[in-house]
Amino acid sequence: MKKVFILLLVIPLLSFQNSQIPKEFIGSWKGEDKGEVGSIIFDANGYATFVIDGQKIGGKEFVLSGKKGNMTYTINSKVSPVQIDFKITKLESGESKRILAIAEFVDNNTLKVAINLDKDRPINFEGDNAIILKRVD
């Protein structure tokens, strides 16, 4: 009985988290900046992956410098431009870092994204921190 009660509590929480992800973001997005090809993959379970020149960083589990980690994302579509928070977490220590971004749909298959690797969220899509991504699936 106790297990059934726990399942009844956990299942709605998991489905609530996934329902907060706008479906139009889910998929693989690819762009080119200064000759480098990169992609962002948003999965339906809240994990994000950056692929830069074939190297994957993120997803449910990845290894960087010998350390395992994961990268999740949250999207606030109630503001304009849309705010995306990428959270990279070291699995061993639980230590995490946020990468703040903004995004705006040009059309259904084109996404403008600005990412700031420092602590502040970008305020516009100008300069070196912005890229145009096209949906690839």
Side-chain angles (χ1 to χ4, degrees), residues 43-60:
D43 82 13
N45 296 314
Y47 291 99
T49 304
F50 294 158
V51 183
I52 302 168
D53 285 335
Q55 181 180 1
K56 291 184 178 185
I57 300 171
K60 191 171 184 175

Side-chain angles (χ1 to χ4, degrees), residues 40-136:
I40 301 175
I41 303 165
F42 296 97
D43 82 13
N45 296 314
Y47 291 99
T49 304
F50 294 158
V51 183
I52 302 168
D53 285 335
Q55 181 180 1
K56 291 184 178 185
I57 300 171
K60 191 171 184 175
E61 188 174 298
F62 70 100
V63 177
L64 185 64
S65 301
K67 303 284 184 184
K68 288 184 180 181
N70 69 22
M71 183 162 57
T72 57
Y73 69 96
T74 56
I75 294 175
N76 180 359
S77 58
K78 295 179 182 172
V79 296
S80 181
V82 172
Q83 296 177 340
I84 305 173
D85 290 7
F86 297 98
K87 182 179 176 186
I88 298 175
T89 303
K90 292 181 182 177
L91 296 179
E92 187 176 291
S93 67
E95 179 185 346
S96 65
K97 175 184 167 95
R98 290 198 183 276
I99 299 171
L100 304 177
I102 56 174
E104 182 176 86
F105 281 95
V106 176
D107 59 44
N108 289 340
N109 296 308
T110 308
L111 183 63
K112 214 178 346 179
V113 177
I115 296 176
N116 192 348
L117 298 176
D118 297 325
K119 61 182 176 180
D120 296 325
R121 187 179 307 281
I123 57 172
N124 58 45
F125 297 97
E126 299 171 6
D128 291 339
N129 66 345
I131 189 168
I132 301 287
L133 302 171
K134 296 283 189 179
R135 185 185 303 273
V136 292

Side-chain angles (χ1 to χ4, degrees), residues 4-14:
V4 171
F5 181 71
I6 291 172
L7 282 175
L8 290 174
L9 288 175
V10 172
I11 290 172
L13 290 175
L14 293 175

